[in-house]
Every structure is written in structure tokens, then in C-alpha cells.
Amino acid sequence: MDESVVKGTATQSGVDDARIKDLKAFDDTKAGVKGLIDAGVASLPRIFIRPPDELVEELNLGYSQAEVPVIDLSGIETDDQRKSILDELRQVSEEWGFFRVVNHGIPSSVLDGMIDGTCKFHEQDAELKKEYYSRDQFQKVRYESNIDLYRSGVANWRDTMTINLLYSNEVVPDELPEICRSSAMDYINHVTKLAETLFELLSEALGIKVDNLRAMECARGRTFVCHYYPACPEPDLTLGVSRHTDPAFLTILLQDHIGGLQFLHDNNWTDVPPIPGGLVVNIADLLQIVSNDKFKSREHRVIANRIGPRISVACFFIGVAVPEKIYYPAKELISDETPPVYREFTVGEYMSNFFSRPIDKSGLDHFKI
Ligand code: OGA
Ligand code: NI
């Protein structure tokens, strides 16, 4: 029998083969989307064009101009303020799952330094940058275009440099790219402290004292994904990041002034505009599991833009991967009325599932009871 018949219809397999060839050719350049722009590409290569079924699905969703909440963390050390911040955080985490924080204690110079360092990494000499190009999820620092390039139905218009502190939690300065070393060190230290504060508040907001998020060491394993979204010549045909939820307990996102991030709120795409000096925080998959669905991980995406580059840095706080630690829905949140929705898991198991699926497929189904 003809091999194409075994694989499916001859046309379908022809299309797939051509696509894989295109993906491989793009990947082999090790120059990412930025490389296409530098080469003068004026229309989108087909691997980036969103398929019709995705666009049809989109028709069920609306657009909302709702204002994403802003939580002011100033005065957190005084009892009165802390109590009102806590009430706000509880309500916002339950109803929105996405919010912005201001007066969070990280100086603007540190935020600007991280944006600038990320930009410099992506804009350095292409030959030097190529040395980091890799799809090895265990490598401490790597750069690639589209983490799920070979698994997704469509490629996104962005490149990413990743600093992976999940398997070895210490930041060793010499292991960071020199071009952004000191700014990344500063940002990593500051944002980790902010995460620890947020995890303390979130435990209190959830009402968990024994199985609390600090004891779970949620802020220990971290991954920093430093994105570069080049200006896009045909922004309506593609996305910067497809819709997804994050592989973490919590994400803290630093974005520059351009915007483009949207999250799904009551089935409406809702803009999350940047505020100078502010950061975006969102509940992610693992917190949904340990909170037993009390706080839900929210889908979000980034639209492509005619202007650019846009820079953003997402920090995923993923907990402890090594030595293996067992996580589960907090016992204090389990009762006859609220039985566990998820089984026990390890971060290693969650991550291996993450690296075997496209980012737009659920990371939670695998753990549902
Ligand atoms: C992510 C993400 C949003 C952004 O990295 O998971 O959603 O604005 N990034 O870059
Ligand atoms: Ni995300």
C-alpha cells in the first residue's frame, strides 16, 4: 500500500510533510522570528498563519473593556493595610485570577534593567546568540523560537530566552549570559522576594495554615521566560502567544509599554494593559490544583502587533522539582462537600506532561480524579 494512504489521506499527509519541512528549516536558522524580520520578510510564512478552525472557535468568544484590577501593596507591613490588601486579594483571585500590582517594592530601575537586558540579549550578534539555541528543557539558559514548535498547530510570532532555575535553584552569575547578567541577577532576587510575600498572602486568603504555600516552597523552582515579539507585518493572521494557562503556581509578568496581553474573563478577551512600574500577576495551574479549584488558573494570550519589538519577562514559580516532592489539594480545603478534584502529583510529572503537549491544551485534565 502507498505509504501516504497508511498515514491518512494523501493530501493531508502531503500538507503535514510540507509543514514539518518548513518548521525544520525555520528552526535550523537558529535566528528565530527576529531572523525573518532581519531578512526583510514582508508577509507571514505559512507556519505562522492561524488555521481556520482556530478562527471559527474564536467566534464563540467576545471582547470586553473591563479594567483588570490593580492591587496597591503599599503599607503591607501595617496590620490595617495588610487586612484590606488580603480581602482585596482574596476577591480578585477568586473572581479574576489576573491582576496588576503597584508599590510592590521593586525599583523601576530594576524593572527597566531587566527589559533592557532581555532586549540586548535578543538583539546581540546573531552568531553569538545561536550558541544558546536549544530545545533542551534541562539546560540552564537557552534560547529558542516557540517552545512547542513541533507540537502545536501553528507557530507564534515570538522568540524566547529562558533562564531555568527549576532543577538547580541557585543563581550562579557566571551561568547567565554576560549581556544581561547583572540586570537579570537583580531582577531575579527582587521578584523572588515579591513572590514569597504573595504566597504568604495567598495562603492566608485561602485560609490554609498547615498545608500553606510557604511550606510547599512554591517560590523555590523558578523559570524566567524572556520574550521578544518582533514587529509583525500581518498581525491579524497570527498571535504572539496562543491561548494557554501557565505551568506554575503563580506567574509574575513584567511587560514593556507596548501591550498585547489579553486574558479570558467570562469568555471575553480582556486587555491587560501595562502600567508604568507595575507588574502583572496571574494564578496558574498548580495553584488551581492545591487550592482545589478555589483559585483558578486563567487562559491568556498575546496578540501580534504591527509595532515592536515588544519585550516581556514571565517568571513562573513552579515549586520543588528536585528532590521529588508530592503536591496535592490542601487537606484544609477538602471536606465531604468539597472532595478533592485532583490527585497527587510531582512537579516533574506536570512538566513532562507540559513538554509533551501544545501549550494551548489543558495542563489540568491529566491530574483530574
Ligand atoms: C507566558 C505569557 C505573556 C506576555 O510567557 O506564558 O503568557 O505578555 N506571556 O508575554
Ligand atoms: Ni502565560
Side-chain angles (χ1 to χ4, degrees), residues 4 16 46 56 84 134 162 218 244 282 285 321:
S4 63
D16 289 350
R46 60 189 168 186
V56 168
S84 85
S134 167
T162 300
C218 296
H244 67 282
N282 66 277
D285 281 2

Side-chain angles (χ1 to χ4, degrees), residues 112-139:
D112 294 347
M114 187 68 204
I115 298 267
D116 190 48
T118 299
C119 190
K120 287 202 172 105
F121 177 89
H122 287 279
E123 293 187 350
Q124 70 184 302
D125 182 281
E127 289 307 311
L128 294 176
K129 194 170 59 168
K130 268 183 193 169
E131 289 170 25
Y132 290 95
Y133 201 87
S134 167
R135 297 194 175 276
D136 175 3
Q137 57 159 306
F138 297 103
Q139 193 167 306

Side-chain angles (χ1 to χ4, degrees), residues 225 227 229 244 246 253 261 300 302 310 312 314 316:
V225 292
H227 301 300
Y229 299 86
H244 67 282
D246 287 341
L253 179 93
L261 173 63
H300 53 284
V302 176
R310 169 181 186 260
S312 70
F316 300 136

Side-chain angles (χ1 to χ4, degrees), residues 124-257:
Q124 70 184 302
D125 182 281
E127 289 307 311
L128 294 176
K129 194 170 59 168
K130 268 183 193 169
E131 289 170 25
Y132 290 95
Y133 201 87
S134 167
R135 297 194 175 276
D136 175 3
Q137 57 159 306
F138 297 103
Q139 193 167 306
K140 204 138 194 192
V141 178
R142 69 177 194 276
Y143 138 73
E144 82 219 288
S145 187
N146 284 260
I147 193 165
D148 59 350
L149 187 70
Y150 295 104
R151 300 187 294 274
S152 71
V154 61
N156 294 158
W157 198 255
R158 83 173 183 292
D159 300 331
T160 305
M161 183 266 283
T162 300
I163 301 172
N164 181 351
L165 302 177
L166 180 56
Y167 301 103
S168 121
N169 311 132
E170 284 333 303
V171 197
V172 181
D174 286 353
E175 291 177 343
L176 302 180
E178 198 181 344
I179 201 156
C180 56
R181 184 174 297 158
S182 79
S183 49
M185 287 290 296
D186 273 358
Y187 182 69
I188 290 172
N189 290 333
H190 275 97
V191 80
T192 303
K193 284 203 196 94
L194 173 61
E196 282 164 356
T197 304
L198 289 171
F199 280 123
E200 238 174 64
L201 292 167
L202 287 163
S203 297
E204 231 173 304
L206 279 167
I208 53 175
K209 287 213 169 68
V210 181
D211 287 331
N212 66 52
L213 303 169
R214 176 173 273 262
M216 289 182 208
E217 299 179 280
C218 296
R220 199 168 157 81
R222 295 151 288 172
T223 298
F224 293 80
V225 292
C226 308
H227 301 300
Y228 186 92
Y229 299 86
C232 181
E234 295 179 294
D236 297 336
L237 300 183
T238 192
L239 286 171
V241 185
S242 299
R243 67 190 278 186
H244 67 282
T245 58
D246 287 341
F249 284 87
L250 197 73
T251 304
I252 299 182
L253 179 93
L254 165 66
Q255 57 173 335
D256 72 7
H257 60 285

Side-chain angles (χ1 to χ4, degrees), residues 242-305:
S242 299
R243 67 190 278 186
H244 67 282
T245 58
D246 287 341
F249 284 87
L250 197 73
T251 304
I252 299 182
L253 179 93
L254 165 66
Q255 57 173 335
D256 72 7
H257 60 285
I258 291 185
L261 173 63
Q262 298 182 325
F263 89 109
L264 206 51
H265 183 50
D266 296 335
N267 273 335
N268 288 311
W269 287 116
T270 307
D271 290 322
V272 189
I275 346 184
L279 291 163
V280 178
V281 179
N282 66 277
I283 308 288
D285 281 2
L286 306 183
L287 188 50
Q288 174 160 347
I289 301 183
V290 300
S291 76
N292 206 36
D293 279 352
K294 212 163 163 193
F295 290 168
K296 295 222 170 75
S297 149
R298 302 293 164 148
E299 283 192 287
H300 53 284
R301 68 177 185 181
V302 176
I303 54 174
N305 203 324

